[in-house]
Amino acid sequence: MVLWAEVLTSIVKFLIFPGIVFSFVVGLFFEGIDRKISAHMQHRIGPPIWQPFLDVGKLFTKEDITPSNAEGWLFNFAPYLGFGAIITVMLMLPVYAAQPAFSAAADLIVIIYLLNIPALAIMLAGVSSSSSFGTVGTERYVVQLFAFELPFIIASLTVAAQANWTLSLEGIVAYQQANGWLLWELPLAAAAILLVAPGKLLKTPFDIPEAETEIVYGPLTEYSGPKLAVFNVMENIKILAVAGFITALFLGGPTAHVIAGVQIPAIVDFLIKTIAILILITLIRTVTARLRIHQALKFYWGFVAIIALINLVYVMVI
Amino acid sequence: MPKLIPDVLKNLFSKPFTLKYPFEKREPPENFRGKPKVDREKCVSCGLCERICPPGAITLDDEEKPVFDLGICIYCAECVDACPVEAIEKTKEYELGVYDRSKAISK
């Protein structure tokens, strides 16, 4: 009996919450909120908040074309590779409580690596499509990946160092519930990771690989129809995953509150914090222009990595 | 740091500038050159409008009164200026879409 219940709970967690359905719905709503707020910042009304659902639905009705010179199996496999990886990340983040849905291997380092697999999937998509736009986009994405990974890893290790070297997100959330948010204790690392977030999510000023005014759509130029829809959904779930990761590391993760006698579940707290991070990313994306790839590299290695390193040295020495 | 941030935050909390077109329309200004319309009583059939029309959108029908083909008309209002008895007036109508080309005329 107990085994049956456990298997059923696992299937529900994987398929519905916080697995595929939850990530899909909330991720697409995040894109809708991002576009709506960006539009109001530009003094116009934007599309309605549910527009990304209509976009994905439309893409599923379009024809699926594979260029004849493309590497067939890799071209077709790349979207699903990225999608699977990002759903796995969502299953390993603390979303509704301090424990993630599947906590067997939910390690800080595993999540950092898994968050790179969608990027890898886009890079493989770029080189396996036979267009030169794809190749250029992939080259730029490789350089950008080198650029932002360094401060990202330094900032994550700073958090682990502060929390007595626990590497599980559960332990980091528990440390913050005892000692307050790490945002106040490690401000430089928090600033570093908030500057890495637009780079990871390919938002202006770091949307260099998919620079639509320069190289059509970068690595995803030759994709159409359902595969492009899967890439689109993957990108949006990545916003939720990165914001959720930053919440777990610096903003205390999901915590349940009791306000005026009403029990507010931890998931509401999680959504409010991730939407706050989303609004910050939207603000940065609305007011800046795109950088060139060598400027992005110089910025990440020259400035952001240095402030993260200062914080790491401070934590380890003091 | 961009100096746009105060402007952007001010925009975020003020009413957007967008006009929700089919539900809210804006009145065209004075002297707007919309659909040309002829008053058949005043017309003396001189033919000056047909001669002056740049793309040739005006033809005279069986009663020698002008008929405007709205698909060819460029809405320049030269016919309005040319008419000696001021029988042609320019209206402010601009929503002139039709599904059938033969209905796009103004008599």
Side-chain angles (χ1 to χ4, degrees), chain A residues 142-190:
Chain A
V142 169
V143 175
Q144 185 161 321
L145 190 76
F146 281 146
F148 67 68
E149 266 313 287
L150 183 66
F152 189 62
I153 294 181
I154 294 179
S156 309
L157 285 184
T158 309
V159 167
Q162 176 77 353
N164 302 322
W165 287 112
T166 83
L167 279 184
S168 75
L169 286 190
E170 220 177 310
I172 293 176
V173 170
Y175 176 85
Q176 289 186 77
Q177 280 172 352
N179 297 21
W181 288 0
L182 283 176
L183 179 66
W184 317 123
E185 293 185 33
L186 306 173
L188 287 182

Side-chain angles (χ1 to χ4, degrees), chain A residues 37 40-45 283 286-288, chain B residues 2 4 8 11-12 14-18 20:
Chain A
I37 292 185
H40 274 279
M41 285 183 185
Q42 296 170 346
H43 214 196
R44 57 184 174 95
I45 52 179
L283 177 68
T286 310
V287 297
T288 50
Chain B
L4 284 177
V8 152
N11 279 339
L12 191 57
S14 59
K15 189 171 168 327
F17 194 67
T18 314
K20 296 184 188 166

